[in-house]
Amino acid sequence: MARIVVIGAGMGAMAAAARLAVAGHRVTVFERTATYGGAVGRFERDGFAFDTGPGLLQVPAVYRDLFVKTGKEPLEACVDLVQVDPAARHVFADGTEVSLPNASRAGVVSALDEAMGAGAGERWGDFLVRAREAWDRTRRPLLEEPLWRDWQILGEREPYPALRQRRLLRTRTAGRLAEVGAWELGDPRLAALLESYALGYGLDPRAVPASAAVLPYMEHAFGAWYVRGGIRELARAVYERCVARRVEFIFGATVERIIEKDGRAAGLETADGTVVEADFVVGGPPELLRSLMGRGELYGGEAPEPHPGSRSRGRAVVCLALRGPREAGTAHRTVVHSTDRAGELHHTFGTGAPPPHPTVWVDRPDDPRLRPDDAHESVVLTATVPSLARYDWAAAGAADAFTDRMVAAAERAVPDLRERMLWREVRTPLDTLRETGSEAGGVPAPALAGQEGVLLRPANATAVPGLFAVGGWAHPGGGLPHAGMSGALVAGLIVEGPDFRGSQ
């Protein structure tokens, strides 16, 4: 039995802790805040409750596997997991609206044809076929296996099979996601639909590789899922599974340094001077581990170093308490697309200022546990914004001014929104920094292949024996499914050793 200390109680860290405890190890988690879950947060007031992190879950099989491998109770016995339908309603700049059925190619094709004209659905359906090929080529190395030692190979080949197109005397193929939208989809609304999946993860569709096509494919293939009571209930279930497997949690404990002995990670020291010896240390992000080790390098120069331009942006979240009931037939999620998409990308990824006309995700779950009674409604607005590295969210009026823009955009989906509003709670990258410690309050994106590996994340196994990186800033990147797989990979590397190649 090994002694293992885990720094942080995010989803990836808890997934690793549960698996390691089941393997017979003694695991202790040190969390500097008062609770678990990391970015999977919750805000409550006056009988209203809101998810302040992810609002939906993709690829629930990752967490089903976690619960099967760590106990007799399956995931569905611990949370009420439901598939939302439609997966999302979209409101485009020109007023076009379309509701996309959940995990139904035929349904999506039909809906797009009806909303945008004959042929639109077929073009999107053909794109999903190509996106599936990119998914099949990258699923194992980017989600289910430790990062290859020769990770550069993942950057050399673009896995998305872009169409070759003759243009005058030249042949062109899309290398960026925005080019896929412009050259292959043939409709600005379809292009906006495609680009919204990258934007939702804080990525610039003009810069990310075409392999980002896997992001909409994940929703199409595996559906969009909700946990009754909010996605925070998933974090609770993972935490309780850890406790049931005798993982010890110490909250309010700030780790000051990782102890190194004979060139190996050998424990940690907390801010109050407590020293804990261990055989393995697990934590993240890698930048934090580097700081706690007092080292300039954790990987011996052999890990991918994300290009500064590829780093994810932050997230603005507005929690709205509304009077009046939720209308029957309301979509769980509505994406209100920017009326100035070029301007939105220019500001968010160029000038570093919040966009005047943001794309806003409007979540309206039909969930009695999130509202005081059926005469009220709990709504969450989300938008991608520059992180603290690019914009001063602490400046007087900055958060409220951008919130007004988000509410104005959301009124295109909820026309009576302002009249129904009782109060609002605004959260910016400042809150993300305080609650998760992520650099500049940014939100990590999933790892992607292609484009010389600029969107790969550092490996889980570092060059320091006994030290492992877990969570969204390490392989395989951000997102709830990726966090769960990060925990599985770290546990596998510790239990089975460096030759571990992932689940079969």
Side-chain angles (χ1 to χ4, degrees):
M1 178 179 72
R3 299 165 299 174
I4 301 173
V5 292
V6 179
I7 303 170
M11 297 297 283
M14 291 196 296
R19 290 175 181 270
L20 289 167
V22 166
H25 301 299
R26 179 181 175 185
V27 184
T28 304
V29 177
F30 293 82
E31 168 57 49
R32 66 181 182 87
T33 70
T35 190
Y36 53 82
V40 185
R42 188 181 188 88
F43 176 75
E44 299 182 10
R45 174 182 162 187
D46 300 340
F48 293 89
F50 310 85
D51 279 324
T52 58
L56 292 172
L57 171 66
Q58 295 175 331
V59 199
V62 172
Y63 288 91
R64 290 185 177 121
D65 181 74
L66 171 65
F67 277 73
V68 166
K69 298 290 176 59
T70 59
K72 295 181 180 179
E73 284 186 310
L75 175 63
E76 278 82 356
C78 301
V79 299
D80 188 1
L81 186 65
V82 294
Q83 196 169 21
V84 301
D85 199 14
R89 169 189 172 216
H90 291 263
V91 179
F92 294 97
D94 67 351
T96 300
E97 297 187 16
V98 61
S99 293
L100 300 182
N102 202 336
S104 169
R105 183 182 186 279
V108 167
V109 168
S110 176
L112 289 173
D113 277 344
E114 182 177 350
M116 299 182 186
E122 183 179 0
R123 288 193 298 275
W124 183 258
D126 290 345
F127 156 74
L128 287 175
V129 172
R130 296 190 293 276
R132 176 179 179 174
E133 188 170 337
W135 169 260
D136 289 341
R137 290 174 176 175
T138 62
R139 176 179 58 85
R140 284 198 61 82
L142 286 181
L143 198 63
E144 299 177 356
E145 296 180 349
L147 188 65
W148 295 346
R149 290 184 178 90
D150 55 347
W151 57 267
Q152 292 90 343
I153 293 176
L154 296 176
E156 291 174 358
R157 180 185 179 188
E158 170 55 58
Y160 176 77
L163 298 177
R164 295 176 61 84
Q165 297 181 330
R166 294 286 296 177
R167 185 93 173 166
L168 298 178
L169 299 178
R170 297 166 50 188
T171 299
R172 66 182 186 182
T173 57
R176 302 288 188 271
L177 189 68
E179 293 172 341
V180 173
W183 299 351
E184 298 183 7
L185 295 180
D187 187 305
R189 295 165 296 185
L190 290 179
L193 172 61
L194 172 62
E195 292 183 9
S196 69
Y197 287 93
L199 185 63
Y201 280 107
L203 296 170
D204 184 350
R206 304 167 303 178
V208 296
S211 64
V214 300
L215 301 178
Y217 177 76
M218 287 170 61
E219 178 179 283
H220 165 75
F222 306 107
W225 298 77
Y226 176 68
V227 178
R228 296 200 186 278
I231 296 296
R232 174 68 179 178
E233 284 295 292
L234 178 64
R236 174 199 57 76
V238 175
Y239 167 72
E240 291 181 353
R241 176 55 54 90
C242 286
V243 171
R245 298 301 168 260
R246 300 185 179 180
V247 174
E248 180 183 7
F249 284 81
I250 301 178
F251 294 103
T254 300
V255 175
E256 289 289 333
R257 70 183 182 98
I258 294 172
I259 299 168
E260 187 174 357
K261 184 176 181 180
D262 299 327
R264 180 183 179 87
L268 56 78
E269 181 179 356
T270 62
D272 64 3
T274 300
V275 174
V276 180
E277 295 182 349
D279 301 296
F280 297 95
V281 178
V282 176
E287 288 82 359
L288 173 64
L289 300 182
R290 186 180 295 119
S291 173
L292 295 177
M293 289 290 295
R295 284 172 169 255
E297 182 53 64
L298 289 181
Y299 293 93
E302 296 182 357
E305 289 292 337
H307 187 276
S310 73
R311 293 191 179 277
S312 295
R313 296 316 191 253
R315 183 174 289 148
V317 177
V318 181
C319 305
L320 298 177
L322 304 185
R323 65 172 63 87
R326 179 182 186 273
E327 302 93 333
T330 296
H332 182 109
R333 169 166 290 177
T334 299
V335 183
V336 182
H337 293 263
S338 173
T339 54
D340 180 11
R341 188 155 52 98
E344 176 179 37
L345 299 180
H346 171 68
H347 284 281
T348 305
F349 302 99
T351 67
H357 304 285
T359 294
V360 175
W361 284 257
V362 183
D363 281 4
R364 304 178 67 184
D366 185 12
D367 191 340
R369 296 171 63 179
L370 302 185
R371 57 187 183 245
D373 52 53
D374 288 342
H376 295 84
E377 185 180 4
S378 167
V379 174
V380 176
L381 312 182
T382 307
T384 294
V385 296
S387 70
L388 295 170
R390 304 292 303 279
Y391 186 73
D392 182 10
W393 285 101
D400 280 336
F402 187 68
T403 298
D404 289 340
R405 300 178 201 172
M406 293 177 64
V407 171
E411 283 186 302
R412 292 166 49 206
V414 191
D416 56 351
L417 185 59
R418 291 181 190 270
E419 291 74 18
R420 295 178 57 195
M421 193 183 307
L422 293 171
W423 50 262
R424 70 190 193 187
E425 173 73 15
V426 184
R427 305 171 69 82
T428 73
L430 278 170
D431 300 283
T432 304
L433 175 63
R434 184 184 71 250
E435 295 172 2
T436 70
S438 68
E439 183 180 0
V443 178
L448 295 172
Q451 204 174 327
E452 300 180 352
V454 298
L455 282 173
L456 297 177
R457 297 292 179 189
N460 306 109
T462 74
V464 180
L467 180 65
F468 295 84
V470 74
W473 297 104
H475 181 72
L480 279 173
H482 301 74
M485 284 308 305
S486 176
L489 294 173
V490 167
L493 288 165
I494 291 176
V495 173
E496 299 188 26
D499 294 330
F500 172 69
R501 298 311 301 162
S503 58
Q504 299 300 318

